[in-house]
Amino acid sequence: MSSVPAFKRLPRAVREQQMLDAAVKVFSRRGFHAASMDEIAEDAGISKPMVYAYLGTKEELFVACLHREGTRMMQAIAGAAAPDLPADERLWRGLRAFFGFVGAHRDGWAVLYRQARGEQPFAGELATMRARLVEVVAGMLDHALRAEGREIAAIDLEVVAYALVGATESLADWLADHPEADPEKTATRMMNVAWLGAAQLLHGVTWRPPTD
Amino acid sequence: MSSVPAFKRLPRAVREQQMLDAAVKVFSRRGFHAASMDEIAEDAGISKPMVYAYLGTKEELFVACLHREGTRMMQAIAGAAAPDLPADERLWRGLRAFFGFVGAHRDGWAVLYRQARGEQPFAGELATMRARLVEVVAGMLDHALRAEGREIAAIDLEVVAYALVGATESLADWLADHPEADPEKTATRMMNVAWLGAAQLLHGVTWRPPTD
DNA sequence: GCGTAACCCTACGCACGAGTAGGTATGCTC
DNA sequence: GAGCATACCTACTCGTGCGTAGGGTTACGC
């Protein structure tokens, strides 16, 4: 009379994803330290030792979250912005993909952006990912410049790229807190600021997405 | 034979500032949770119960740090950007004051920006301060628009302001990690991005600070 | 020169949460 | 259907760090 167990046994790969889902959710709500392994385990519908068996210590679990969400995001962006398009087109597609991702994975974004920044052991990890993004944007700008036969100091380029990435992240943060907001529209607004600048906007010049 | 005490007794106001200095330092290095009251007390050259007597619990202490650093920053900006100047001039002065502040108070900035964002109880507090900044920038843009007899949706204005603030914060973060960088120069770069936009920069248009 | 208030300490209680020990059940293979 | 690997659990240990009890010492008013 094997009373049907409340919940089934599941293969490791599935349980790991459930655990990561739960971890991302709890980490994003509570922050790394305030999140407890007990809560994560409970939220995943499993007991704590299983989490340790599969994903390791709390730090390792957090890093696993970071990697999964980071990789997902990078893939979303890279898949959208083909390298042989003109700069504005690439920027636009990258932005749209990025805001789309954040809109669909608000928790994941919160873990990456809000939590990992402050905590010592992970800040570096995150900074690396961010640096890759900055590099891409800087490369894009540089490419566009060379096409016009012009040039600019590498440091300036990097700083400009940094500012663009920062502005984008900031709007993404805004988006994460405004569930009713439209990612597409937010991307358009970002494009206006980044591409045209405040002065142009004040003079009535606006950028509109290409009708694709 | 009262052996001269190792360190003098000091009035409350002085000790409180020393404690806040230590707290900002430790919080910025370790993060809220990882920072221990013992370390803060030791760093302030005082014993733990004194910290509790003067500044209250750990949370209250953190809020006190937030308030002090936030107020200092707001004053630095407000003091620089007179409300009756043209928009670009105001923006420039505000940016310069802001980057100057961050350059001089890197720890304080780290507490505000990197730590307070993620931790639940403080995120709101910080968001309020940030909202005030966004409001100021949005108001500035709106003012400039009306002067030209034009208008724009309030939401769009706010989002643009948000992006500008975000880009600025992001560069400030970059500045905090690059001790050799010049705040003034960073402000100029930010001005270029925000005011002219990427497209203009790519076409060789640049903005230069007024020779005051 | 004595009371009293402010300053300051050592040493602890106690809760919370990371990580583990040790064992049970289930399904898959041959 | 015996053997074995894998999934899963309850129930602990133990360190860490917040917050405090209880008491000592210096300065200042009167």
Side-chain angles (χ1 to χ4, degrees):
Chain A
M1 187 167 126
S2 64
S3 62
V4 179
F7 265 13
K8 275 202 300 195
R9 298 180 128 209
L10 291 172
R12 177 170 183 151
V14 175
R15 272 278 131 86
E16 278 183 348
Q17 291 308 311
Q18 291 178 345
M19 289 174 187
L20 285 175
D21 289 341
V24 166
K25 183 171 148 193
V26 176
F27 279 138
S28 73
R29 274 166 189 35
R30 304 240 191 264
F32 176 73
H33 283 278
S36 82
M37 293 298 268
D38 290 274
E39 184 176 356
I40 291 170
E42 188 184 0
D43 198 282
I46 207 82
S47 74
K48 200 168 43 158
M50 287 309 295
V51 180
Y52 279 89
Y54 284 174
L55 279 325
T57 70
K58 193 179 182 184
E59 287 204 0
E60 288 165 342
L61 174 60
F62 191 82
V63 169
C65 291
L66 229 58
H67 270 125
R68 195 183 70 167
E69 300 303 313
T71 309
R72 281 180 177 175
M73 192 186 89
M74 284 301 196
Q75 281 178 348
I77 297 176
D84 51 354
L85 290 167
D88 56 344
E89 187 78 15
R90 270 189 89 191
L91 188 57
W92 163 241
R93 296 207 184 184
L95 281 176
R96 201 171 48 171
F98 174 74
F99 283 109
F101 174 86
V102 173
H105 299 78
R106 292 170 206 249
D107 282 355
W109 170 251
V111 168
L112 285 174
Y113 183 62
R114 293 204 252 236
Q115 308 303 332
R117 285 194 88 97
E119 309 293 339
Q120 264 308 315
F122 316 116
E125 192 91 18
L126 207 262
T128 308
M129 247 180 52
R130 183 206 196 78
R132 264 192 293 163
L133 242 185
V134 170
E135 221 42 59
V136 170
V137 175
M140 197 188 72
L141 293 175
D142 191 44
H143 190 268
L145 274 173
R146 286 182 198 288
E148 296 206 13
R150 299 190 57 259
E151 229 167 313
I152 204 175
I155 307 158
D156 282 315
L157 250 177
E158 197 197 305
V159 171
V160 171
Y162 213 96
L164 289 185
V165 171
T168 308
E169 287 176 342
S170 182
L171 274 198
D173 214 39
W174 178 86
L175 183 67
D177 285 339
H178 292 75
E180 77 287 356
D182 177 24
E184 191 93 357
K185 217 166 200 169
T186 312
T188 308
R189 289 189 182 115
M190 179 61 217
M191 190 69 189
N192 267 288
V193 173
W195 196 246
L196 297 180
Q200 301 266 53
L201 291 180
L202 290 178
H203 284 95
V205 185
T206 48
W207 179 91
R208 298 215 170 279
T211 54
D212 47 9
Chain B
M1 187 163 133
S2 65
S3 62
V4 179
F7 265 11
K8 275 201 299 194
R9 298 180 128 205
L10 292 172
R12 175 167 186 154
V14 175
R15 272 278 132 86
E16 279 183 349
Q17 291 307 311
Q18 291 178 346
M19 289 175 188
L20 285 174
D21 289 341
V24 166
K25 184 171 148 194
V26 175
F27 279 137
S28 74
R29 274 167 189 34
R30 304 239 190 266
F32 175 73
H33 282 279
S36 82
M37 293 297 269
D38 290 273
E39 185 177 354
I40 291 170
E42 188 184 359
D43 198 284
I46 207 84
S47 74
K48 201 168 43 158
M50 287 310 296
V51 180
Y52 279 88
Y54 284 175
L55 278 325
T57 71
K58 195 180 182 184
E59 286 205 359
E60 288 165 343
L61 173 60
F62 191 83
V63 170
C65 291
L66 229 57
H67 270 126
R68 195 184 69 167
E69 300 304 313
T71 308
R72 280 180 178 174
M73 193 187 87
M74 284 302 197
Q75 279 177 349
I77 298 175
D84 51 353
L85 290 168
D88 57 342
E89 186 80 16
R90 270 189 90 191
L91 188 56
W92 163 242
R93 296 207 183 184
L95 281 176
R96 201 170 50 170
F98 174 73
F99 283 109
F101 174 85
V102 173
H105 297 79
R106 290 169 207 248
D107 282 355
W109 170 249
V111 168
L112 285 174
Y113 183 63
R114 291 205 251 237
Q115 307 303 331
R117 286 194 88 95
E119 310 295 340
Q120 263 308 318
F122 317 116
E125 192 92 18
L126 206 262
T128 308
M129 246 180 53
R130 184 205 195 77
R132 263 192 293 162
L133 241 185
V134 171
E135 221 41 60
V136 170
V137 175
M140 195 189 74
L141 293 175
D142 191 45
H143 191 268
L145 275 173
R146 286 183 198 286
E148 294 207 12
R150 298 190 58 261
E151 227 168 312
I152 204 174
I155 307 158
D156 283 313
L157 250 177
E158 197 197 306
V159 171
V160 171
Y162 214 95
L164 289 184
V165 171
T168 308
E169 287 176 342
S170 182
L171 274 198
D173 214 38
W174 177 87
L175 183 68
D177 285 338
H178 292 76
E180 77 286 357
D182 177 25
E184 190 93 357
K185 217 167 199 168
T186 311
T188 308
R189 289 192 181 111
M190 180 59 217
M191 192 67 189
N192 266 288
V193 174
W195 195 246
L196 296 180
Q200 301 267 53
L201 291 179
L202 289 177
H203 283 95
V205 184
T206 49
W207 179 91
R208 299 213 169 281
T211 53
D212 48 7

